Amino acid sequence: ATKLCEVSWHFVATPAFLQTLTKPLQQPADLVDTRLILPLVMGSKIVFHARDSCASGSLDVTPSIQSGDYRLLYDAVLADLGLALLPNYVTANAIAEGALVPVLGHIVFPGLGNAMYLVRMPDRQPTMAARAFLQFLREAIVTAAQSWQDEGGP
């Protein structure tokens, strides 16, 4: 496996959904009373730590929507159905366009997969086409990842 780039996760919501909240989301504890859209791998526990300190913790939550289909989660958050925890490569364009707003940017949510890897079967003599494709894939992802990366957090 070859590591291609870092992946970070953050909570995002539409501006319209954020306006429906009775109080602003400032701390992880504020997530308990919010409609959450979570990846299936999370279960019902959110583990977190502060970006610039050693403070950490976890919360037991009941997601409104939970799925292993990231497109479904993305579509659900865009439909104003809640606050979604998604990776930066899924949300980067929507954040840049203003369709989604990152929240709790000072909090890190580890343990969901912090890197993207290129995994392939070992092949002592890959064909020229296979080598060219792998090189193209590496370059495309590494180049695109520069626009996904958090500059000090969302």
Side-chain angles (χ1 to χ4, degrees):
T2 303
K3 184 176 179 178
L4 299 176
C5 64
E6 298 291 323
V7 173
S8 63
W9 293 72
H10 49 238
F11 274 102
V12 293
T14 61
F17 177 78
L18 292 175
Q19 288 179 353
T20 67
L21 299 177
T22 57
K23 63 179 182 175
L25 297 169
Q26 297 176 334
Q27 299 300 322
D30 297 334
L31 296 171
V32 173
D33 298 322
T34 304
R35 289 184 302 189
L36 297 177
I37 301 168
L38 299 177
L40 191 58
V41 70
M42 294 226 31
S44 60
K45 186 174 288 270
I46 297 175
V47 177
F48 60 88
H49 64 81
R51 189 175 299 277
D52 297 325
S53 74
C54 57
S56 64
S58 65
L59 291 171
D60 290 318
V61 296
T62 304
S64 297
I65 300 173
Q66 194 165 29
S67 174
D69 181 344
Y70 289 94
R71 183 64 197 203
L72 173 81
L73 300 178
Y74 180 74
D75 289 345
V77 72
L78 286 177
D80 301 327
L81 298 180
L83 186 70
L85 182 61
L86 292 168
N88 57 349
Y89 61 85
V90 171
T91 60
N93 288 341
I95 290 171
E97 295 167 359
L100 292 177
V101 177
V103 296
L104 298 176
H106 62 290
I107 305 296
V108 177
F109 303 94
L112 293 170
N114 61 0
M116 187 178 295
Y117 291 89
L118 175 62
V119 180
R120 64 182 188 88
M121 294 294 294
D123 187 356
R124 293 177 193 214
Q125 297 177 351
T127 65
M128 179 62 88
R131 285 195 308 257
F133 176 71
L134 292 173
Q135 182 63 30
F136 166 77
L137 196 57
R138 271 194 289 279
E139 289 174 3
I141 291 174
V142 168
T143 300
Q146 293 171 8
S147 68
W148 307 334
Q149 300 309 316
D150 296 334
E151 299 295 333

